[in-house]
Amino acid sequence: MFRKTIFLVFLFELFSANAQQNDSIAKIDSTSNNLKFNYKQLIIPSVLIGYGVIGIGNDQLLSFNRQIRAEVKEDIDEKITIDDFSQYAPAASVYALNAFGVKGKNNMRDRSVIFATSYIIMATTVLSLKSIVHEERPDGSSNNSFPSGHTATAFAGAEFLYQEYKDKSIWYGIAGYAVATGTGLFRIYNNRHWLTDVAAGAGIGILSTKIAYWINPYITKKLFKSDSENKSTSMIMPFYNGQQYGLGFAKVF
């Protein structure tokens, strides 16, 4: 059962990446490289979030969660904590690619503003839901299982990588979503989250980054008066220690 679940989720994420590639609504503004809002962009994250929310009180989905946990406990003896690091890999890849000369859609300043906005939205949503829902983790360690913060972080970064580099190659986006999917699966593998937690986290992560791109022109206009006088480089990177989110900021003049 667990192997089948991994296969189905992986196929879904490949479909997700391909659907976003063919999504005609990802138009570029004549003055800034940002997404134009279209309701079609809400379909995939809404389905994922909806599955997770419905699963909180649906007996059938709860039973499926327990079946997956039983498979995990039966077949897996050793935990692998790679998910503590892989959650950051897609977002970090955006800055790494730029450092190696592969230019993305936006410049360093706009990219960093979008990145910070996405993570603020995602972290606020995740931590708020954790404090409201109080779902017990599969391993019984705490009551903050829903939604999965690691998965939300990974998928927010995957969507960020996709949006910045989809015009270069769709494979950047596919790689980012593959890593994000792996992060979610390892949260289940390590008995830290239910499938519904992971699904909701993925949807929240994707939607947070999309919102960040939609509202970026307004934020940029408020924060910066002139693009021509931008003579500094900034980088914002998030951290998550299992309990709290935070942002680190570095600026080179």
Side-chain angles (χ1 to χ4, degrees), residues 1 87 105 108 123 129 174 208 240 250:
M1 177 68 74
Q87 61 177 319
K105 180 187 295 183
M108 178 68 77
L129 287 173
I174 291 176
S208 297
Y240 178 62

Side-chain angles (χ1 to χ4, degrees), residues 26-121:
K27 299 177 182 178
I28 305 301
D29 193 310
S30 59
T31 57
S32 61
N33 295 321
N34 293 285
L35 279 176
K36 291 289 190 178
F37 173 78
N38 188 297
Y39 73 92
K40 292 181 181 179
Q41 297 176 70
L42 300 174
I43 295 175
I44 291 174
S46 295
V47 168
L48 291 169
I49 295 171
Y51 178 84
V53 171
I54 294 172
I56 295 174
N58 184 280
D59 291 338
Q60 203 166 20
L61 294 182
L62 289 174
S63 176
F64 187 50
N65 278 343
R66 288 189 288 270
Q67 288 177 33
I68 293 174
R69 182 181 65 173
E71 289 281 344
V72 170
K73 293 179 70 176
E74 179 181 350
D75 298 336
I76 298 172
D77 298 322
E78 184 178 351
K79 292 184 178 181
I80 301 175
T81 58
I82 191 174
D83 45 307
D84 288 335
F85 306 99
S86 64
Q87 61 177 319
Y88 303 119
S93 297
V94 174
Y95 291 96
L97 286 168
N98 188 74
F100 283 103
V102 185
K103 301 300 181 183
K105 180 187 295 183
N106 291 284
N107 59 36
M108 178 68 77
R109 187 202 69 186
D110 291 341
R111 180 188 310 133
S112 296
V113 170
I114 292 169
F115 180 59
T117 303
S118 169
Y119 272 75
I120 289 171
I121 295 170

Side-chain angles (χ1 to χ4, degrees), residues 126 129-131 133-137 141-149 192-193 197 240 242-243:
V126 167
L129 287 173
K130 283 181 179 291
S131 65
V133 177
H134 294 295
E135 182 181 48
E136 186 179 17
R137 290 183 183 272
S141 61
S142 61
N143 293 319
N144 61 350
S145 189
F146 182 89
S148 170
R192 295 291 289 165
H193 281 290
D197 303 336
Y240 178 62
Q243 296 288 336

Side-chain angles (χ1 to χ4, degrees), residues 159-172:
E159 178 67 13
F160 179 50
L161 177 61
Y162 169 75
Q163 292 299 337
E164 287 297 313
Y165 285 99
K166 64 181 179 179
D167 294 332
K168 294 287 185 179
S169 173
I170 186 61
W171 289 104
Y172 290 120

